[in-house]
Amino acid sequence: LRDYAMYHLGSYPGIQPCMGEEVYGELYLICDQMVEKLDEYEIEGTLYDRKTVTVWVEEQPVKAEAYIYKKDVTGCPLLRKAWNDKI
């Protein structure tokens, strides 16, 4: 995900727009029912906003939805690798 950055928020990550940065992660195809469950889990609208973004898969643009962190990230460490690679 280009022009976004991922921050270490403690026990979970958060991404926000940030020119020149990239977020590495995984892309899944899921059903509408799972989207509703994820919205609940991510506290969509309060902690995160779900937005349509363009991700790059093998140099091809793909429309996807991502949860964008809504709170302040000042002082949070920037991650430049996938969240599951954090350790």
Side-chain angles (χ1 to χ4, degrees):
L1 177 59
R2 295 178 181 164
D3 294 326
Y4 279 79
M6 181 167 37
Y7 299 89
H8 192 301
L9 305 174
S11 59
Y12 57 91
I15 65 172
Q16 291 185 341
C18 186
M19 292 301 293
E21 292 291 338
E22 291 183 337
V23 172
Y24 298 91
E26 298 172 350
L27 181 64
Y28 295 93
L29 178 62
I30 61 174
C31 67
D32 290 342
Q33 184 180 7
M34 183 57 72
V35 172
E36 290 176 17
K37 289 181 180 186
L38 281 172
D39 282 352
E40 271 185 50
Y41 180 79
E42 300 293 355
I43 314 172
E44 201 279 330
T46 301
L47 191 57
Y48 293 89
D49 282 329
R50 181 169 37 91
K51 300 216 182 253
T52 301
V53 296
T54 301
V55 298
W56 293 83
V57 179
E58 298 178 3
E59 297 304 313
Q60 297 297 315
V62 176
K63 291 289 185 198
E65 292 185 333
Y67 289 92
I68 312 304
Y69 189 63
K70 294 180 65 163
K71 308 293 183 183
D72 185 24
V73 294
T74 302
C76 296
L78 183 65
L79 294 174
R80 290 195 168 102
K81 55 187 173 182
W83 175 251
N84 57 357
D85 292 338
K86 69 182 185 336
I87 298 174

